Amino acid sequence: MNRITETVIEADPRLPVIRTTRDFAATPEQLFRAHTDPALFAQWVGPNAMATRIEHWNACTGGSWRYISVRDDTEYRFHGSFHEVRPDRIVQTFTFEGDPDGVALETLWFEDLGDGLTRLRTQSLVDSFEGRDAWLRSGMEGGINEGYAKLDRMLIDGAV
């Protein structure tokens, strides 16, 4: 089996899409819970230098969310809507409030690889190539990798 232990981040050359892929030593149910339980999500999302607090979180089809990530005295606010929430897939919008016109449509898939492994695949569709490239330059790679490393530790520690 070709296990992906680091996050693969790819920009589609034909569409303003970012795709990520990463394998976790976890069940699909554990990863789903880590993405839908607000207390768990706040513990792992984002870079190590940031703390996240959830302002609103209703992880169900038709629900919505909002959280704030803080580094030093600077706050970064994000919000979105859950369009579909089911055990194998989440479809949601994602907006960084510093760029309110830059709404992304995101899909997350939880693929059971067997033997206690799950592949998480994500796809983020933005409105332009310029917007996509700005995301890629924003430091998102570091935030994704540091966040997933925190999630790995939580899974190992049995917190999820």
Side-chain angles (χ1 to χ4, degrees), residues 78-96:
F78 305 88
H79 73 268
S81 298
F82 289 106
H83 290 263
E84 181 180 45
V85 178
R86 62 184 209 209
D88 65 329
R89 183 173 98 152
I90 297 172
V91 179
Q92 65 185 12
T93 56
F94 179 93
T95 302
F96 167 52

Side-chain angles (χ1 to χ4, degrees), residues 2-8 21-24 119 145 152:
N2 183 18
R3 181 156 185 244
I4 302 166
T5 56
E6 295 297 322
T7 308
V8 176
T21 307
R22 190 169 191 288
D23 293 352
F24 289 88
R119 179 162 292 155
N145 284 318
D152 271 335

Side-chain angles (χ1 to χ4, degrees), residues 102-143:
V103 179
L105 177 62
E106 297 188 329
T107 305
L108 295 79
W109 294 270
F110 307 100
E111 180 185 350
D112 190 346
L113 301 175
D115 295 327
L117 299 175
T118 299
R119 179 162 292 155
L120 173 62
R121 292 184 302 114
T122 72
Q123 175 176 283
S124 299
L125 172 65
V126 297
D127 65 346
S128 68
F129 287 99
E130 294 80 14
R132 180 203 64 195
D133 294 345
W135 276 37
L136 292 168
R137 287 190 308 269
S138 73
M140 71 172 271
E141 181 176 357

